[in-house]
Amino acid sequence: MKGIQISGFTNITTRDAEAVQISGFANITNGQCTGQQISGFSNISNGDNTGVQISGFANIVKGNCTGVQIAGFANISTHDTRGTQVSGFINVSDRVEGVQIGVFNVADTVSGVSIGVFNFIKKGYHSINVFYDEMMPVNAEFCFGTHHFYNIVGVAAD
């Protein structure tokens, strides 16, 4: 499919799409998608996606994602992401070359930055530290994220 699809509810393409898809509820491409998918609820690409996905709830790419994913709740790419994932809750990708911004960011590897409250990077930075200082006799912290940007969650007892 090449061109523009606009609907009040759902756009479905059974093969590859080089298009702009705009719908009130969902856009579904059963092949590779190049272009923009904008919906009120969800965008799904069952192949590689190159372009922009914007939805009120979730964007899902069952392949490589190159470009931008912006969602109110979740962005999921089952393979590599080259670009940006921004969500209100969770971003998931295998490998990320770019930026993830959300409450939870999950990836195997990140060459870029994951910015969130919890960044779970399998091949990232992980550290557990137990120490003493003049303020608290017992301190423990867990560091997780990437080597360039990581979170520290700690507890202390007096």
Side-chain angles (χ1 to χ4, degrees):
M1 193 294 245
K2 292 183 181 185
I4 298 173
Q5 286 184 313
I6 300 172
S7 73
F9 189 69
T10 299
N11 295 309
I12 299 173
T13 303
T14 58
R15 294 189 182 159
D16 296 346
E18 291 181 31
V20 174
Q21 293 180 310
I22 301 170
S23 72
F25 184 71
N27 296 305
I28 301 167
T29 300
N30 286 323
Q32 293 184 8
C33 181
T34 302
Q36 290 75 39
Q37 289 183 311
I38 302 166
S39 73
F41 185 73
S42 181
N43 296 306
I44 299 169
S45 179
N46 287 316
D48 293 344
N49 188 3
T50 302
V52 176
Q53 287 185 315
I54 300 171
S55 72
F57 184 72
N59 296 308
I60 300 169
V61 176
K62 295 180 181 177
N64 296 315
C65 180
T66 303
V68 177
Q69 288 183 308
I70 300 170
F73 184 75
N75 292 307
I76 299 169
S77 175
T78 61
H79 296 298
D80 298 350
T81 296
R82 289 178 187 89
T84 304
Q85 289 183 315
V86 178
S87 75
F89 189 67
I90 189 167
N91 297 303
V92 178
S93 184
D94 186 29
R95 286 180 290 221
V96 177
E97 293 180 20
V99 179
Q100 287 181 312
I101 300 171
V103 177
F104 291 91
N105 296 304
V106 179
D108 181 67
T109 58
V110 173
S111 60
V113 66
S114 293
I115 301 170
V117 179
F118 298 100
N119 300 303
F120 300 103
I121 314 303
K122 184 178 179 182
K123 295 178 184 169
Y125 177 68
H126 308 99
S127 173
I128 297 173
N129 303 305
V130 179
F131 58 94
Y132 168 89
D133 65 21
E134 64 277 357
M135 296 295 290
M136 296 286 178
V138 179
N139 295 278
E141 63 185 22
F142 177 58
C143 306
F144 52 95
T146 67
H147 292 282
H148 303 292
F149 186 88
Y150 56 90
N151 299 75
I152 302 172
V153 176
V155 294
D158 186 8

